[in-house]
Amino acid sequence: MKKKLKVAAGSLLGIMFLFSAVLLIHIVVMVKNRKPLPAATLQMARADFKQPVPDQVMQTIQQAVSRQKGVKETYYNAGSRMLVYTYDNKVNTAEAIYASAIRPSGMSSERHLVSQSEATKGCPAMDNHSFYGKLTNMVARVVN
């Protein structure tokens, strides 16, 4: 009975070691000599409209936003009345784009401002506070 218990414990520890080694090797391969992200300065901004916007007016607004320096894409969701645009933050700011392209449209709108609690969490698609996020950051610091 003791021999079976020792074999089971040894097997379990061996499997845990192998999984840990595979995870660490994967992280090292992914972060070693990592090049800068191609869209590192790309950001998103949002304008919320307080009433439905006619299609022609929205096309005019989107064209005005698209003509702004640094703007890459625009997307309007009629159901939620939100205009989302991506821009290069080294070229322009969300405030300047809103002030020069959206506010003059005459439609009642406001810029979506991230709350303090949302800002402390970072990107909603990434969880840097999870085990994998912390481990990745730690290994990246050691490797790079």
Side-chain angles (χ1 to χ4, degrees):
M1 185 69 171
K2 281 187 174 184
K3 187 175 182 178
K4 286 184 181 180
L5 188 60
K6 285 181 182 179
V7 169
S11 298
L12 186 61
L13 286 173
I15 289 172
M16 287 175 44
F17 173 77
L18 285 175
F19 281 142
S20 299
V22 168
L23 177 62
L24 284 173
I25 290 169
H26 170 72
I27 292 171
V28 167
V29 168
M30 295 304 292
V31 300
K32 186 166 178 64
N33 299 324
R34 184 172 29 180
K35 295 179 176 103
L37 297 172
T41 60
L42 194 64
Q43 288 193 337
M44 296 178 81
R46 183 175 112 189
D48 297 327
F49 291 87
K50 297 180 181 182
Q51 75 277 352
V53 181
D55 289 341
Q56 285 183 317
V57 174
M58 182 47 63
Q59 285 177 354
T60 305
I61 294 170
Q62 283 184 283
Q63 288 171 356
V65 170
S66 295
R67 283 193 297 267
Q68 300 295 307
K69 281 184 169 180
V71 173
K72 306 293 183 199
E73 298 282 336
T74 63
Y75 172 76
Y76 178 65
N77 183 328
S80 58
R81 298 189 304 261
M82 291 186 314
L83 174 67
V84 177
Y85 51 94
T86 58
Y87 65 96
D88 186 337
N89 67 3
K90 286 192 172 190
V91 177
N92 212 336
T93 65
E95 298 87 9
I97 294 167
Y98 180 82
S100 62
I102 299 171
R103 189 177 296 140
S105 71
M107 299 301 296
S108 179
S109 65
E110 61 183 22
R111 272 188 60 237
H112 175 75
L113 299 175
V114 178
S115 70
Q116 188 64 29
S117 65
E118 291 172 326
T120 58
K121 293 177 186 172
C123 178
M126 304 298 276
D127 185 8
N128 290 325
H129 302 293
S130 69
F131 169 75
Y132 186 74
K134 289 177 183 178
L135 184 62
T136 301
N137 289 333
M138 181 183 70
V139 172
R141 275 186 256 126
V142 171
V143 171
N144 295 325

